[in-house]
DNA sequence: AGAATCATGTAAGGGGTTACATGATTCG
DNA sequence: CGAATCATGTAACCCCTTACATGATTCT
């Protein structure tokens, strides 16, 4: 099923670090508060992701000792990390099922960071969806395969709803 | 994320066995041929599922020795298996993301087995979707949370597309 | 002859979830 | 005073995917 790598929450963590450095638990709280209705992440997974991001050189960590509280590790974006985030931010999702997570997350960061270029991303994402609608329309179906046609119509319906939403998405201030 | 158990392909296997007993590899071929565009399954997983179904008493297996070919195990529905399938067949999906797999699979079996009661299932599924649209409409959003509103509109759009499709779904002979 | 199909599995590996461990502080 | 929050991780477990093992037949 998920041959194509599952969407990773890593870019979201990079995005949260774009504003300022933070420690893991703080990232968890912000992730949950800001994107919790869209994307859920567990603490264990978040810590594992941060470790991976550090290994990949996208963030650096420095430990901060506190008087009364346990130590905490402050994570900071590297320039490679910034680049990776900006790269991710401007890519449309190739697969419909990823849009719900990825596109909404991208939209969030465009708004939060007041980044320019949302129009281009929306246009690119619409193009991807439109191409899929047409690919479905052109896909061969046995003459009497009513079920096959219903499957195609189901997908087209989902895609068209996304396309309509993408338009409205630009109109919202 | 997937706290609620992922959709299992097990009921599909039971459904394929409703027509007649089959062995694993044959189930794999039919699964792929009939539902391949909707639901993909690997051979390993399919064999594991069959083993589990047998352990659960939903199917029985008898080995069939063949002259030239390797032995194969013929699986047969038990009455508990039939009951489990029919039960699954008439339940609407509670979560949107499951509809793409589960509802389409149910629709397939209604058509294939010429089962009565599709109208009721469609009505029940529409009711679930409509309730979610309304729950979203009623969900509290901070006055100025434009992003939150966009998320809600995205979901409502997907749900409305499904509701429309469900209507058309009954019209198709 | 080599590749694909038939036919069933086991084993290893990867990734995620849950539970556990620790220890101070603050809230009800 | 007990529970939740702060703060970070490790360990066990589960499930899935990929690769491997076997071995005959049929297609190219």
């Amino acid at each position: 099923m998920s041959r194509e790598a599952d969407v990773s929450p890593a870019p979201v963590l990079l995005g949260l670090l774009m504003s300022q450095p933070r420690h893991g638990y703080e990232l968890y709280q912000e992730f949950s508060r800001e994107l919790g209705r869209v994307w859920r992440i567990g603490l264990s997974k978040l810590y594992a992701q941060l470790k991976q991001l550090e290994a990949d050189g996208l963030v650096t960590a420095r430990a901060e000792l506190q008087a009364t509280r346990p130590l905490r590790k402050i994570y900071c974006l590297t320039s490679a990390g910034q680049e990776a985030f900006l790269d991710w931010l401007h890519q449309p999702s190739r697969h419909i099922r990823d849009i719900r997570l990825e596109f909404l997350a991208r939209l969030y960061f465009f708004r939060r960071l007041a980044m320019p270029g949302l129009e281009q991303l929306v246009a690119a994402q619409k193009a991807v969806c439109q191409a899929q609608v047409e690919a479905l329309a052109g896909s061969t179906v046995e003459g009497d395969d009513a079920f096959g046609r219903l499957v195609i119509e189901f997908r087209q319906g989902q895609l068209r709803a996304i396309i309509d939403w993408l338009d409205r998405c630009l109109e919202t201030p």
Side-chain angles (χ1 to χ4, degrees), chain A:
Chain A
M1 249 316 43
S2 33
R3 277 173 314 307
E4 50 262 277
D6 255 356
V7 287
S8 159
V12 177
L13 297 176
L14 298 177
L16 294 174
L17 291 173
M18 284 289 284
S19 317
Q20 55 179 293
R22 279 176 230 278
H23 62 271
Y25 193 77
E26 206 177 350
L27 284 166
Y28 172 72
Q29 290 177 309
E30 205 172 353
F31 199 125
S32 304
R33 175 165 38 85
E34 298 290 293
L35 289 161
R37 292 191 179 181
V38 173
W39 203 325
R40 264 153 242 264
I41 191 172
L43 251 177
S44 284
K45 189 172 177 180
L46 185 139
Y47 283 124
Q49 292 282 331
L50 284 173
K51 187 185 263 186
Q52 188 58 49
L53 286 173
E54 195 183 356
D56 293 345
L58 303 181
V59 303
T60 53
R62 64 190 143 82
E64 189 179 75
L65 288 161
Q66 302 180 115
T68 94
R69 294 282 184 182
L71 104 163
R72 47 191 199 182
K73 285 162 76 175
I74 311 291
Y75 292 93
C76 199
L77 265 191
T78 64
S79 57
Q82 271 192 41
E83 208 179 307
F85 170 71
L86 292 174
D87 200 59
W88 170 83
L89 187 65
H90 293 92
Q91 300 288 327
S93 299
R94 299 289 156 199
H95 304 285
I96 322 172
R97 63 166 161 274
D98 298 340
I99 291 179
R100 191 179 49 98
L101 289 181
E102 283 194 326
F103 190 88
L104 286 171
R106 290 191 180 103
L107 176 61
Y108 169 77
F109 284 115
F110 267 106
R111 301 182 68 95
R112 170 183 170 135
L113 303 172
M115 298 277 299
L118 179 58
E119 294 76 16
Q120 285 88 320
L121 176 63
V122 166
Q125 191 65 74
K126 271 179 69 175
V128 168
C129 292
Q130 234 130 23
Q132 286 190 33
V133 170
E134 280 151 36
L136 284 168
S139 65
T140 57
V141 172
E142 324 278 307
D144 60 339
D145 182 8
F147 175 70
R149 255 178 279 122
L150 283 169
V151 171
I152 289 173
E153 283 174 29
F154 180 88
R155 298 215 174 124
Q156 288 180 325
Q158 295 290 293
L159 285 163
R160 291 208 186 94
I162 292 173
I163 293 170
D164 289 347
W165 175 84
L166 283 167
D167 282 327
R168 289 203 308 282
C169 180
L170 282 183
E171 293 157 17
T172 303

